[in-house]
Amino acid sequence: MRRAIVFTVAFLLPGLAWSDDRRTGYDDMNADLQALQDDPMNPATFWVLDGERLWSEPAGTTAQSCADCHGSAEDSMQGVAARYPSFDESSGTAVDLLGRIALCQSRHQQTAQPRDRSDPDRLALLAYVTHQSRGLPIMPDEDPRLAPARARGEALFSSRMGQLNLSCAQCHDDNAGGYLAAARIPQAHPTGYPQYRLEWETIGSLDRRLAGCMTGVRADPFAPGSPELVALELFLKSRAAGLTVEALPIRP
Amino acid sequence: MDSRSDSGAGPSGPTGPQTACAGPWWRARFILSGGGALAAVCLLVAAPLNAQGLPDPLTTTPGDPVRGEAIVTDPQHGLCTLCHEGPFPQVPFAGNLGPDLTGVGARRAVPELRQQIVDSRIGNPDTIMPPYYTTDGRERVGARWQGATMLRAQEVEDVVAYLASLTGDMP
Amino acid sequence: MSVLINIPDSAAPGEIIEIKLLIQHPMETGFRTGPDGALVPRDIIESVTCLYLGEEVFRADLYPAITANPFVGFHLRADTTGEIEFIWTDNAGVTSREARTLTVA
Amino acid sequence: MTLSRRTALTALLSLPLVLQTRAALATPESMQAALDDFTGGAPVTPGRVTLKIPLLVENGNSVPLSVSVDSPMTAEDHVEQIAIFNEINPLPDTARFHLGPRSGLAAVETRIRLNGSQTVHAVARMTDGSFWSATTDVIVTAPACREV
């Protein structure tokens, strides 16, 4: 079944090749951490519940809720997180799902201030919307206007950076499965975002993680939501096509 | 160029600007590191870049293998054990991305060890090993590491002295 | 701040049931420094109490070494239908409570 | 948001600095003092207590722990308290569970923070005033590229 999905996606996305021994961050976690993710008492649940509440709560000067336009998220948002990032017509740029939620809030709810991307309410909405894609295969958006950003992400993935002069690919392609001190290096498939990271003791988005990676090699991280990070996400999602969107991910 | 001392403000290394010795920045460096460093960097930039490595020490003070061991086995200073296993019983979890350093002093001559630490890209452009004593060719370095090398000249010599002493099996 | 409570709706007389609580809370230790170098004030839940028909049947005293979003699991012998109440108190003395009804038959 | 100055200067594999503190860290001596405070100096016998905790932990911010005690849990003979102690966090006290005959089963669980590799102690006080214990050595590694 999963193989069938993979072949379907491979057909839809010619030119995006991968080997089928891809592993996710979940696969690389030890049994205790997997058990925490699978436990109904998973702390990430709180953000999904908060997001569910916020979905129907009027906000901004228009006093509109997400539900006023989108109806039930369980219907309208199913599979949405699995295809993001997507192309935003009016700005002519690629946007990630968190950026889309922010655009929605400013355009339709006219929320007073453009809030920070780490705003807990926005992360809760991101968690809730992403939760509607749990178990679905990642299906990258085929819009050709995304191709330049995706190519830029691929180039960035192989660009050495920082005082340690390392690229993403050197660790996460060339040395995936190896150990950096005690930590097994994952294959960089973003199946589990937003995630409850034990290091953070809260939920966070992919761009927070990517910035953390960049700081790890002593580089100047790209800004949250920057075109560079959206480009990297586009590329990473294309590599992860066909892998399953994780619900309520836990990572160390 | 800055002269911060927290992570080492080294010169630009063997392929760096030949004018490094004369710059006003170097004066700050000289004060920070004491005598010998000035002469050392001039030796460094004069050293031939070939497969034999860097035969000339970066400083006039011989490397101290005891200090070198402390640097190598400190995962927040030398970072070495993040990638290398070796005869380090005090390090509980060394990584395995690079070769095991057990016996490296018997396999590699001192000039090669020095070159490998200063800038391992000289021998292998695709190396995953960070360049410890050059600022050449680096992109997007974070503000607090701008202009700084990963180790100071004397620290490189200490590490080289320690690695050169690793000629046997695990203790 | 919310809470997840995992407890069965009903039990047989004398049955020992398992109760689990997960409380949304940062459990700020009071030992950590913020970006300005100053200590971040302690903000932790200090106790989680379970009352069964108004009687205290379990209490957990928590310290800063308990994880953010604290989790507590314990057991209870069911004998009478009635209210099971959960009370948790932070180090500022703020108390929250939730109750569930357990049917024993 | 809660980074210590030292963490801010660190890249790649910091040691687990969850409970990074200016205060003195708990030492086995101060843990013994806390344990003595709990027992009133009474002897503690190893046994009757089962402490389940992973032996190898990748992030000390959340370590699952469960304790059970061999006890009939009757009105006359039950576990009154279970205390958890750690050796190197800033505070040795970790959690205390107050049980009674209504508990039915002397089995509790929680998730704890461990500021590095150490021995975790679980001590149970019975109605007869005796104390029983179990200990487990836990090795805490750390995630590789930590946010700094």
Short mmCIF file of all heavy atoms in Angstrom, two decimals, chain A residues 30 32-33 36 39 41-43 164 180-183 197-201 208-209 212-213 215-216 218 252, chain D residues 1 9-13 18 54-59 61-62 64 111 113 141-148:
data_model
loop_
_atom_site.label_atom_id
_atom_site.label_comp_id
_atom_site.label_asym_id
_atom_site.label_seq_id
_atom_site.Cartn_x
_atom_site.Cartn_y
_atom_site.Cartn_z
N ASN A 30 14.68 6.24 19.88
CA ASN A 30 14.67 5.01 20.66
C ASN A 30 13.24 4.68 21.10
O ASN A 30 12.32 5.49 20.95
CB ASN A 30 15.64 5.11 21.85
CG ASN A 30 15.20 6.10 22.89
OD1 ASN A 30 13.99 6.24 23.17
ND2 ASN A 30 16.13 6.82 23.48
N ASP A 32 11.78 4.38 23.93
CA ASP A 32 11.15 5.21 24.97
C ASP A 32 10.54 6.48 24.37
O ASP A 32 9.45 6.89 24.76
CB ASP A 32 12.18 5.58 26.04
CG ASP A 32 12.67 4.36 26.81
OD1 ASP A 32 11.82 3.58 27.25
OD2 ASP A 32 13.90 4.21 26.96
N LEU A 33 11.27 7.09 23.45
CA LEU A 33 10.75 8.32 22.84
C LEU A 33 9.60 8.01 21.89
O LEU A 33 8.62 8.76 21.80
CB LEU A 33 11.87 9.06 22.11
CG LEU A 33 12.90 9.71 23.04
CD1 LEU A 33 14.06 10.29 22.24
CD2 LEU A 33 12.26 10.80 23.88
N LEU A 36 6.62 7.70 23.99
CA LEU A 36 6.10 9.00 24.42
C LEU A 36 5.27 9.63 23.29
O LEU A 36 4.20 10.19 23.53
CB LEU A 36 7.25 9.93 24.82
CG LEU A 36 6.87 11.33 25.28
CD1 LEU A 36 5.93 11.28 26.47
CD2 LEU A 36 8.12 12.14 25.63
N ASP A 39 1.97 7.76 23.09
CA ASP A 39 1.17 7.81 24.31
C ASP A 39 0.03 8.83 24.15
O ASP A 39 0.26 9.94 23.67
CB ASP A 39 2.10 8.23 25.47
CG ASP A 39 1.48 8.00 26.84
OD1 ASP A 39 0.25 8.15 26.96
OD2 ASP A 39 2.23 7.68 27.78
N MET A 41 -1.04 10.47 26.40
CA MET A 41 -0.59 11.57 27.26
C MET A 41 0.64 12.25 26.65
O MET A 41 1.65 12.47 27.31
CB MET A 41 -0.26 11.03 28.66
CG MET A 41 -1.49 10.58 29.42
SD MET A 41 -2.36 12.02 30.06
CE MET A 41 -3.92 11.29 30.55
N ASN A 42 0.57 12.52 25.37
CA ASN A 42 1.61 13.22 24.62
C ASN A 42 1.41 14.72 24.83
O ASN A 42 0.34 15.25 24.55
CB ASN A 42 1.45 12.83 23.14
CG ASN A 42 2.40 13.56 22.22
OD1 ASN A 42 2.84 14.67 22.49
ND2 ASN A 42 2.70 12.94 21.09
N PRO A 43 2.43 15.43 25.33
CA PRO A 43 2.22 16.85 25.65
C PRO A 43 1.86 17.72 24.44
O PRO A 43 1.26 18.79 24.60
CB PRO A 43 3.55 17.29 26.28
CG PRO A 43 4.54 16.24 25.88
CD PRO A 43 3.77 14.97 25.69
N LEU A 164 32.04 26.18 11.27
CA LEU A 164 32.35 24.76 11.10
C LEU A 164 32.35 24.35 9.63
O LEU A 164 32.68 23.21 9.30
CB LEU A 164 31.39 23.87 11.89
CG LEU A 164 31.30 24.09 13.40
CD1 LEU A 164 30.62 22.89 14.06
CD2 LEU A 164 32.64 24.35 14.03
N LEU A 180 26.89 11.54 15.70
CA LEU A 180 27.56 12.75 16.12
C LEU A 180 27.50 12.71 17.64
O LEU A 180 26.43 12.88 18.21
CB LEU A 180 26.81 13.96 15.56
CG LEU A 180 27.46 15.32 15.80
CD1 LEU A 180 28.75 15.45 15.00
CD2 LEU A 180 26.51 16.44 15.43
N ALA A 181 28.62 12.43 18.27
CA ALA A 181 28.63 12.05 19.68
C ALA A 181 27.61 10.92 19.84
O ALA A 181 27.65 9.94 19.10
CB ALA A 181 28.38 13.23 20.59
N ALA A 182 26.65 11.07 20.78
CA ALA A 182 25.72 9.96 21.02
C ALA A 182 24.50 10.02 20.11
O ALA A 182 23.66 9.13 20.15
CB ALA A 182 25.27 9.99 22.48
N ALA A 183 24.39 11.06 19.30
CA ALA A 183 23.16 11.28 18.55
C ALA A 183 23.25 10.71 17.14
O ALA A 183 24.19 11.00 16.40
CB ALA A 183 22.85 12.77 18.49
N ARG A 197 9.46 19.37 20.99
CA ARG A 197 10.87 19.01 21.12
C ARG A 197 11.25 19.05 22.59
O ARG A 197 11.08 20.08 23.25
CB ARG A 197 11.71 19.99 20.29
CG ARG A 197 13.10 19.52 20.03
CD ARG A 197 13.77 20.29 18.90
NE ARG A 197 15.11 19.75 18.69
CZ ARG A 197 15.37 18.66 17.97
NH1 ARG A 197 14.40 18.01 17.37
NH2 ARG A 197 16.60 18.23 17.87
N LEU A 198 11.77 17.96 23.09
CA LEU A 198 12.12 17.92 24.51
C LEU A 198 13.17 18.99 24.84
O LEU A 198 13.17 19.55 25.92
CB LEU A 198 12.63 16.53 24.90
CG LEU A 198 11.65 15.38 24.67
CD1 LEU A 198 12.23 14.07 25.17
CD2 LEU A 198 10.30 15.65 25.32
N GLU A 199 14.03 19.25 23.89
CA GLU A 199 15.02 20.31 24.08
C GLU A 199 14.33 21.65 24.33
O GLU A 199 14.76 22.43 25.17
CB GLU A 199 15.88 20.41 22.81
CG GLU A 199 16.88 21.55 22.82
CD GLU A 199 17.44 21.86 21.43
OE1 GLU A 199 17.20 21.06 20.49
OE2 GLU A 199 18.10 22.88 21.29
N TRP A 200 13.26 21.92 23.60
CA TRP A 200 12.53 23.19 23.73
C TRP A 200 11.51 23.15 24.87
O TRP A 200 11.07 24.18 25.35
CB TRP A 200 11.76 23.51 22.44
CG TRP A 200 12.58 23.62 21.20
CD1 TRP A 200 13.90 23.97 21.09
CD2 TRP A 200 12.12 23.39 19.85
NE1 TRP A 200 14.28 23.96 19.77
CE2 TRP A 200 13.22 23.62 18.99
CE3 TRP A 200 10.90 23.02 19.29
CZ2 TRP A 200 13.12 23.50 17.60
CZ3 TRP A 200 10.81 22.90 17.90
CH2 TRP A 200 11.91 23.13 17.07
N GLU A 201 11.07 21.99 25.22
CA GLU A 201 9.97 21.77 26.16
C GLU A 201 8.69 22.46 25.70
O GLU A 201 7.84 22.86 26.50
CB GLU A 201 10.35 22.23 27.57
CG GLU A 201 11.56 21.48 28.12
CD GLU A 201 11.81 21.69 29.59
OE1 GLU A 201 12.07 22.84 29.97
OE2 GLU A 201 11.72 20.72 30.36
N ARG A 208 12.25 26.92 13.05
CA ARG A 208 13.00 27.03 14.30
C ARG A 208 14.09 25.95 14.34
O ARG A 208 15.21 26.20 14.76
CB ARG A 208 12.05 26.88 15.50
CG ARG A 208 12.80 26.94 16.81
CD ARG A 208 11.90 27.03 18.02
NE ARG A 208 12.74 27.05 19.23
CZ ARG A 208 12.25 27.10 20.47
NH1 ARG A 208 10.94 27.13 20.67
NH2 ARG A 208 13.06 27.11 21.51
N ARG A 209 13.73 24.76 13.89
CA ARG A 209 14.70 23.67 13.89
C ARG A 209 15.85 23.95 12.93
O ARG A 209 17.02 23.71 13.23
CB ARG A 209 14.01 22.36 13.51
CG ARG A 209 14.93 21.18 13.52
CD ARG A 209 15.28 20.76 14.93
NE ARG A 209 16.45 19.88 14.95
CZ ARG A 209 17.64 20.25 15.40
NH1 ARG A 209 17.82 21.46 15.89
NH2 ARG A 209 18.64 19.41 15.39
N GLY A 212 18.14 26.34 14.33
CA GLY A 212 18.95 25.70 15.35
C GLY A 212 20.12 24.94 14.74
O GLY A 212 21.25 24.95 15.24
N CYS A 213 19.85 24.26 13.63
CA CYS A 213 20.89 23.53 12.91
C CYS A 213 21.98 24.48 12.44
O CYS A 213 23.17 24.20 12.53
CB CYS A 213 20.26 22.86 11.68
SG CYS A 213 20.41 21.07 11.64
N THR A 215 22.74 27.45 13.66
CA THR A 215 23.50 27.93 14.80
C THR A 215 24.48 26.86 15.27
O THR A 215 25.58 27.16 15.73
CB THR A 215 22.56 28.33 15.95
OG1 THR A 215 21.56 29.18 15.44
CG2 THR A 215 23.32 29.07 17.04
N GLY A 216 24.08 25.59 15.11
CA GLY A 216 24.95 24.48 15.50
C GLY A 216 26.26 24.47 14.74
O GLY A 216 27.29 24.08 15.29
N ARG A 218 27.57 27.13 13.74
CA ARG A 218 28.06 28.48 14.00
C ARG A 218 27.88 29.39 12.78
O ARG A 218 28.78 30.15 12.41
CB ARG A 218 29.52 28.45 14.48
CG ARG A 218 29.68 27.61 15.75
CD ARG A 218 31.10 27.56 16.25
NE ARG A 218 31.19 26.73 17.46
CZ ARG A 218 32.34 26.39 18.06
NH1 ARG A 218 33.49 26.81 17.58
NH2 ARG A 218 32.31 25.66 19.15
N PRO A 252 13.74 14.44 20.46
CA PRO A 252 14.58 14.76 21.62
C PRO A 252 15.10 16.18 21.56
O PRO A 252 15.48 16.72 22.57
CB PRO A 252 15.73 13.76 21.54
CG PRO A 252 15.76 13.32 20.12
CD PRO A 252 14.35 13.41 19.61
N MET D 1 14.80 31.17 24.93
CA MET D 1 14.24 32.20 25.77
C MET D 1 14.76 32.10 27.19
O MET D 1 14.75 33.04 27.95
CB MET D 1 12.72 32.14 25.73
CG MET D 1 12.11 31.11 26.66
SD MET D 1 10.34 30.98 26.43
CE MET D 1 10.02 29.60 27.50
N LEU D 9 27.05 30.73 24.53
CA LEU D 9 28.37 30.74 23.92
C LEU D 9 28.75 29.37 23.40
O LEU D 9 29.85 29.13 22.98
CB LEU D 9 29.41 31.18 24.96
CG LEU D 9 29.28 32.65 25.37
CD1 LEU D 9 30.22 32.95 26.53
CD2 LEU D 9 29.57 33.56 24.21
N THR D 10 27.83 28.48 23.42
CA THR D 10 28.13 27.10 23.07
C THR D 10 27.43 26.71 21.79
O THR D 10 26.29 27.07 21.59
CB THR D 10 27.63 26.17 24.19
OG1 THR D 10 28.14 26.64 25.42
CG2 THR D 10 28.09 24.75 23.96
N ALA D 11 28.16 26.00 20.94
CA ALA D 11 27.49 25.47 19.76
C ALA D 11 27.70 23.98 19.73
O ALA D 11 28.64 23.48 20.32
CB ALA D 11 28.09 26.10 18.50
N LEU D 12 26.85 23.29 19.07
CA LEU D 12 26.94 21.86 18.91
C LEU D 12 27.02 21.16 20.26
O LEU D 12 27.82 21.51 21.10
CB LEU D 12 28.22 21.48 18.14
CG LEU D 12 28.10 21.40 16.63
CD1 LEU D 12 29.47 21.26 16.05
CD2 LEU D 12 27.24 20.26 16.20
N LEU D 13 26.31 20.15 20.42
CA LEU D 13 26.38 19.30 21.60
C LEU D 13 26.76 20.00 22.88
O LEU D 13 27.84 19.82 23.40
CB LEU D 13 27.36 18.15 21.38
CG LEU D 13 27.12 17.08 22.45
CD1 LEU D 13 25.90 16.28 22.06
CD2 LEU D 13 28.29 16.19 22.65
N VAL D 18 19.60 21.75 31.12
CA VAL D 18 18.21 21.97 31.49
C VAL D 18 18.09 22.74 32.79
O VAL D 18 17.34 23.68 32.93
CB VAL D 18 17.52 20.62 31.73
CG1 VAL D 18 16.06 20.84 31.93
CG2 VAL D 18 17.83 19.67 30.63
N PRO D 54 14.51 4.50 32.01
CA PRO D 54 15.44 4.08 30.96
C PRO D 54 16.89 4.17 31.43
O PRO D 54 17.25 5.10 32.17
CB PRO D 54 15.17 5.07 29.83
CG PRO D 54 13.81 5.62 30.10
CD PRO D 54 13.65 5.61 31.59
N LEU D 55 17.72 3.25 31.00
CA LEU D 55 19.13 3.27 31.40
C LEU D 55 19.92 4.28 30.58
O LEU D 55 20.93 4.79 31.01
CB LEU D 55 19.74 1.87 31.22
CG LEU D 55 19.04 0.74 31.97
CD1 LEU D 55 19.73 -0.58 31.71
CD2 LEU D 55 18.99 1.04 33.46
N LEU D 56 19.42 4.55 29.38
CA LEU D 56 20.11 5.46 28.47
C LEU D 56 19.09 6.47 27.95
O LEU D 56 18.08 6.09 27.36
CB LEU D 56 20.72 4.67 27.31
CG LEU D 56 21.59 5.44 26.32
CD1 LEU D 56 22.84 5.95 27.00
CD2 LEU D 56 21.97 4.55 25.16
N VAL D 57 19.35 7.74 28.18
CA VAL D 57 18.38 8.78 27.86
C VAL D 57 19.02 9.78 26.92
O VAL D 57 20.13 10.24 27.17
CB VAL D 57 17.94 9.50 29.16
CG1 VAL D 57 17.07 10.68 28.85
CG2 VAL D 57 17.23 8.53 30.09
N GLU D 58 18.32 10.11 25.84
CA GLU D 58 18.91 11.04 24.87
C GLU D 58 18.71 12.48 25.28
O GLU D 58 19.49 13.35 24.95
CB GLU D 58 18.33 10.80 23.48
CG GLU D 58 19.11 11.53 22.40
CD GLU D 58 18.66 11.19 21.00
OE1 GLU D 58 17.94 10.18 20.85
OE2 GLU D 58 19.02 11.92 20.08
N ASN D 59 17.62 12.77 25.98
CA ASN D 59 17.40 14.14 26.46
C ASN D 59 16.87 14.08 27.88
O ASN D 59 15.80 13.53 28.12
CB ASN D 59 16.42 14.88 25.54
CG ASN D 59 16.40 16.37 25.86
OD1 ASN D 59 16.39 16.76 27.03
ND2 ASN D 59 16.41 17.19 24.84
N ASN D 61 15.48 16.18 29.57
CA ASN D 61 14.32 17.03 29.87
C ASN D 61 13.05 16.23 30.14
O ASN D 61 12.09 16.78 30.68
CB ASN D 61 14.03 17.98 28.70
CG ASN D 61 14.91 19.21 28.76
OD1 ASN D 61 15.73 19.36 29.66
ND2 ASN D 61 14.72 20.10 27.79
N SER D 62 13.00 14.99 29.71
CA SER D 62 11.79 14.20 29.94
C SER D 62 12.17 12.73 30.02
O SER D 62 12.42 12.08 29.01
CB SER D 62 10.78 14.43 28.81
OG SER D 62 9.61 13.66 29.05
N PRO D 64 10.90 9.13 31.48
CA PRO D 64 9.77 8.43 32.11
C PRO D 64 10.24 7.60 33.30
O PRO D 64 11.30 6.97 33.23
CB PRO D 64 9.24 7.54 30.98
CG PRO D 64 10.38 7.37 30.04
CD PRO D 64 11.21 8.61 30.14
N ARG D 111 7.19 11.87 34.84
CA ARG D 111 8.32 12.11 33.93
C ARG D 111 9.21 13.15 34.59
O ARG D 111 8.70 14.17 35.07
CB ARG D 111 7.81 12.63 32.57
CG ARG D 111 6.97 11.62 31.81
CD ARG D 111 6.31 12.21 30.56
NE ARG D 111 5.37 11.26 29.97
CZ ARG D 111 4.31 11.63 29.25
NH1 ARG D 111 4.05 12.92 29.04
NH2 ARG D 111 3.52 10.71 28.75
N ARG D 113 13.15 15.40 35.02
CA ARG D 113 14.31 16.00 34.37
C ARG D 113 15.57 15.52 35.07
O ARG D 113 15.62 15.52 36.29
CB ARG D 113 14.24 17.53 34.49
CG ARG D 113 13.11 18.18 33.73
CD ARG D 113 12.91 19.61 34.24
NE ARG D 113 12.08 20.40 33.33
CZ ARG D 113 11.40 21.47 33.71
NH1 ARG D 113 11.46 21.89 34.96
NH2 ARG D 113 10.66 22.16 32.84
N THR D 141 22.68 11.20 27.62
CA THR D 141 23.50 11.77 26.54
C THR D 141 22.86 13.12 26.21
O THR D 141 22.32 13.76 27.07
CB THR D 141 23.57 10.84 25.33
OG1 THR D 141 22.28 10.78 24.72
CG2 THR D 141 24.00 9.46 25.72
N ALA D 142 22.94 13.58 25.03
CA ALA D 142 22.30 14.85 24.69
C ALA D 142 22.05 14.85 23.20
O ALA D 142 22.79 14.23 22.45
CB ALA D 142 23.20 16.01 25.06
N PRO D 143 20.99 15.54 22.76
CA PRO D 143 20.81 15.65 21.32
C PRO D 143 21.98 16.40 20.71
O PRO D 143 22.60 17.22 21.39
CB PRO D 143 19.50 16.43 21.18
CG PRO D 143 19.28 17.07 22.50
CD PRO D 143 20.02 16.29 23.52
N ALA D 144 22.32 16.12 19.48
CA ALA D 144 23.54 16.66 18.89
C ALA D 144 23.48 18.16 18.70
O ALA D 144 24.03 18.91 19.49
CB ALA D 144 23.81 15.96 17.57
N CYS D 145 22.81 18.63 17.66
CA CYS D 145 22.82 20.06 17.40
C CYS D 145 21.75 20.73 18.23
O CYS D 145 20.60 20.82 17.82
CB CYS D 145 22.58 20.32 15.92
SG CYS D 145 23.90 19.74 14.89
N ARG D 146 22.12 21.18 19.40
CA ARG D 146 21.15 21.86 20.25
C ARG D 146 21.05 23.31 19.84
O ARG D 146 21.98 23.91 19.34
CB ARG D 146 21.59 21.78 21.70
CG ARG D 146 21.54 20.38 22.25
CD ARG D 146 22.19 20.32 23.60
NE ARG D 146 21.48 21.12 24.56
CZ ARG D 146 20.40 20.71 25.22
NH1 ARG D 146 19.92 19.51 24.96
NH2 ARG D 146 19.79 21.48 26.08
N GLU D 147 19.88 23.86 20.09
CA GLU D 147 19.66 25.28 19.83
C GLU D 147 20.45 26.06 20.87
O GLU D 147 20.43 25.72 22.03
CB GLU D 147 18.17 25.57 19.98
CG GLU D 147 17.73 26.83 19.31
CD GLU D 147 16.21 26.91 19.34
OE1 GLU D 147 15.57 26.29 18.48
OE2 GLU D 147 15.70 27.55 20.24
N VAL D 148 21.15 27.09 20.41
CA VAL D 148 21.92 27.86 21.40
C VAL D 148 21.52 29.32 21.35
O VAL D 148 20.76 29.72 20.50
CB VAL D 148 23.43 27.74 21.15
CG1 VAL D 148 23.90 26.34 21.43
CG2 VAL D 148 23.78 28.15 19.75
#
